[in-house]
Amino acid sequence: MTAFTPEEAERLRAADRRHVWHPFTQMQEWTADPDDPLVIATADGFHLVDVDGRRYIDGVSSLWVNVHGHRHAALDAALTAQLGAVAHSTLLGLASVPSIRLAERLVALAPRGLSRVFYSDSGSTAVEIALKIAFQYWQQRGDPRRTRFLALRDAYHGDTLGSVSVGGMDLFHRIFRPLLFEALRAPPPYCYRCALGKTWPDCALACADDLCATLRAHAGEVAAVVVEPLVMGAAGMITAPAGWLARVRAACDETGALLICDEVATGFGRTGKMFACEHEAVAPDLLCVAKGLTGGYLPLAATLATERVYEAFLGAYADQRTFFHGHTYTGNALACAVALANLDTFERERTLERLAPKIALLHELLAPLRAHPHVGEVRQRGFMVGIELVADRATRAPYAYEDKMGAQVARAARRRGAILRPLGNVVVLMPPLAIDEETLRTLVAVARAGIDEVAGAAAPP
Ligand code: PLP
């Protein structure tokens, strides 16, 4: 392990404050906070290690990407082997061995009917590409009125302007509104704060019906419906009730709109199955994957399409039906090689089979939090957890934005040896899928202690 002298560690922190602009970060606070930055130097298994040698459980899988742990021997070896072959060659005009092999594997794993793989390098680009493919598809299928997208309020699909247009998180997105195209909107399946004032299951999925009604009202105009299947991640781990996704698929079939499933967060085992769509036997027309695709090693994304969608782009060179889109590092060989090793490791280590009892254990460990006076709801789907903190449990009144409750809990957890990254008032747990039971227990205990410290553990009023 690389050792850093206290002087070098301090120099790095100072240089970070001087030069690095961090994502989703108020830099004025960051640079003024004596505890920031925590500089990670190494990692092993389920822990991150900082430049001072302190160890932290990676409680959010390094922003939802890590699967088998850090410095996994098989993933490391695959990268080294690929380095001995070629690090990168372009897919514009050339093919490459690992990108071909990975495409074969993805098609075999993905929901039925998805047979074509378009590579890119982040979740945002995977969604951007799906939107552009859907748009161009209808232009070339002779139905040019289908130019609109239907998306959910509170959705998050990434930070490029197309994905922001179908996003719906006011805090992140409102300033860019003049730059965005307008999407049709449907209410999210957020049962704890139902926009329709209903209660599950008596509502009989009224929010899905609302979506279907909007879709029918605009049937001839909608190119595609865009959803995060089963769990709306960045919105606060909002878990859709059973049947919601299947109903959206049925409405797309009825009206002819394409269905884009953004599995950037839910893909690669997060919900307990390889893809969230599998829980409801849904097959989208376009599937976006990224994050866990490389097991958390390298930036790689893919947009999978059906043969029907793909065929709309075929024609003579002169017809100009080509999908004119691509990124310099599209299908990077190192990333594809490590993605293949990630998928091999899923099989060899029976990752999903071994995950099932850990999902149940996690549910059990979270049980005491459900009675906490400042926990409104604990949402869990597989290894995706959102603990929504509330100022008042009876009225469900949220804490004010300035209270920074989630951030305070994360800071308290960090002092106890776990890294968390909240979403507003929602404390997120997203452990690596391969985490061992003992580390999982410690992680939940640390999160609980952090919530008690910040929100208090007093009896409910
Ligand atoms: N889509 C979903 C559902 C996500 O959760 C995210 C990121 O959290 C994205 C898209 C954007 O991915 P990226 O940050 O890799 O651009």
Side-chain angles (χ1 to χ4, degrees):
M1 193 191 101
T2 321
F4 289 84
T5 62
E7 294 72 33
E8 179 60 3
E10 195 41 53
R11 203 200 67 74
L12 284 165
R13 283 189 278 268
D16 178 272
R17 286 186 202 107
R18 245 192 335 272
H19 297 303
V20 182
W21 190 344
H22 289 261
F24 283 97
T25 301
Q26 177 40 260
M27 293 306 294
Q28 183 173 308
E29 288 201 347
W30 175 272
T31 50
D33 187 337
D35 293 332
D36 273 329
L38 189 159
V39 183
I40 299 303
T42 64
D44 55 73
F46 311 110
H47 289 83
L48 301 166
V49 187
D50 73 7
V51 282
D52 302 314
R54 280 189 289 262
R55 295 173 65 78
Y56 304 87
I57 300 171
D58 190 354
V60 289
S61 298
S62 292
L63 220 60
W64 317 355
V65 295
N66 196 279
V67 177
H68 306 292
H70 294 276
R71 290 179 53 214
H72 189 285
L75 276 68
D76 287 7
L79 257 181
T80 313
Q82 185 59 40
L83 272 173
V86 55
H88 180 72
S89 61
T90 183
L91 290 200
L92 281 69
L94 296 172
S96 78
V97 174
S99 67
I100 297 168
R101 289 188 174 144
L102 180 60
E104 280 182 307
R105 289 288 290 278
L106 287 175
V107 166
L109 271 177
R112 67 185 179 282
L114 295 159
S115 53
R116 301 284 167 171
V117 179
F118 195 99
Y119 289 112
S120 62
D121 38 43
S122 72
S124 305
T125 56
V127 172
E128 200 77 24
I129 287 162
L131 298 174
K132 287 177 73 177
I133 288 178
F135 183 89
Q136 190 173 338
Y137 169 82
W138 289 112
Q139 298 301 304
Q140 294 180 176
R141 280 275 311 241
D143 205 344
R145 280 195 327 122
R146 286 191 180 265
T147 56
R148 305 196 69 183
F149 292 90
L150 195 161
L152 298 191
R153 290 184 201 101
D154 298 335
Y156 180 76
H157 295 289
D159 294 332
T160 54
L161 289 177
S163 46
V164 168
S165 294
V166 290
M169 298 187 68
D170 226 35
L171 174 66
F172 302 165
H173 300 155
R174 66 173 169 253
I175 195 156
F176 299 113
R177 212 165 275 148
L179 300 178
L180 308 177
F181 61 78
E182 206 179 315
L184 295 163
R185 295 289 170 185
Y190 190 3
C191 299
Y192 182 65
R193 298 185 188 280
C194 179
L196 306 173
K198 309 247 178 195
T199 310
W200 164 258
D202 295 344
C203 65
L205 291 174
C207 58
D209 288 342
D210 187 292
L211 183 153
C212 299
T214 305
L215 190 51
R216 282 186 202 112
H218 296 270
E221 303 160 43
V222 177
V225 175
V226 191
V227 298
E228 296 164 77
L230 261 58
V231 186
M232 296 176 72
M237 300 298 151
I238 293 169
T239 49
W244 183 89
L245 182 63
R247 201 171 288 188
V248 173
R249 173 73 269 185
C252 289
D253 290 341
E254 181 195 319
T255 57
L258 299 176
L259 176 63
I260 300 174
C261 282
D262 173 358
E263 292 233 23
V264 168
T266 53
F268 303 100
R270 269 289 145 201
T271 64
K273 292 189 186 287
M274 194 51 103
F275 296 106
C277 287
E278 293 173 32
H279 290 277
E280 301 203 1
V282 159
D285 302 282
L286 290 153
L287 174 74
C288 308
V289 295
K291 288 196 186 280
L293 171 57
T294 61
Y297 268 55
L298 283 171
L300 180 69
T303 306
L304 277 73
T306 60
E307 210 57 19
R308 178 170 73 112
V309 168
Y310 172 79
E311 280 169 0
F313 291 75
L314 302 181
Y317 183 80
D319 295 344
Q320 301 184 355
R321 296 165 70 89
T322 304
F323 185 46
F324 290 109
H325 185 112
H327 302 280
T328 307
Y329 280 99
T330 287
N332 173 261
L334 290 173
C336 289
V338 79
L340 280 163
N342 174 39
L343 298 179
D344 287 342
T345 305
F346 263 100
E347 281 179 18
R348 201 183 46 257
E349 298 188 354
R350 297 181 296 109
T351 306
L352 290 182
E353 239 173 277
R354 290 163 66 188
L355 180 61
K358 287 185 285 187
I359 292 172
L361 172 66
L362 182 55
H363 186 82
E364 210 177 286
L365 296 172
L366 291 167
L369 273 171
R370 295 193 164 85
H372 189 285
H374 288 287
V375 170
E377 190 179 44
V378 179
R379 295 182 282 273
Q380 180 191 2
R381 188 84 208 208
F383 252 25
M384 302 177 85
V385 172
I387 303 160
E388 181 163 342
L389 305 176
V390 284
D392 186 325
R393 209 173 133 102
T395 62
R396 303 189 176 186
Y399 283 107
Y401 177 74
E402 319 69 84
D403 290 343
K404 292 178 70 181
M405 287 302 284
Q408 285 197 61
V409 171
R411 189 50 69 93
R414 183 165 121 178
R415 286 194 291 272
R416 291 173 165 81
I419 301 296
L420 302 180
R421 171 93 188 165
L423 295 159
N425 289 330
V426 177
V427 176
V428 173
L429 299 183
M430 277 274 228
L433 304 191
I435 196 168
D436 59 276
E437 221 185 276
E438 192 190 329
T439 313
L440 184 63
R441 285 180 188 278
T442 310
L443 173 64
V444 178
V446 166
R448 281 180 57 189
I451 291 171
D452 283 346
E453 179 187 319
V454 173

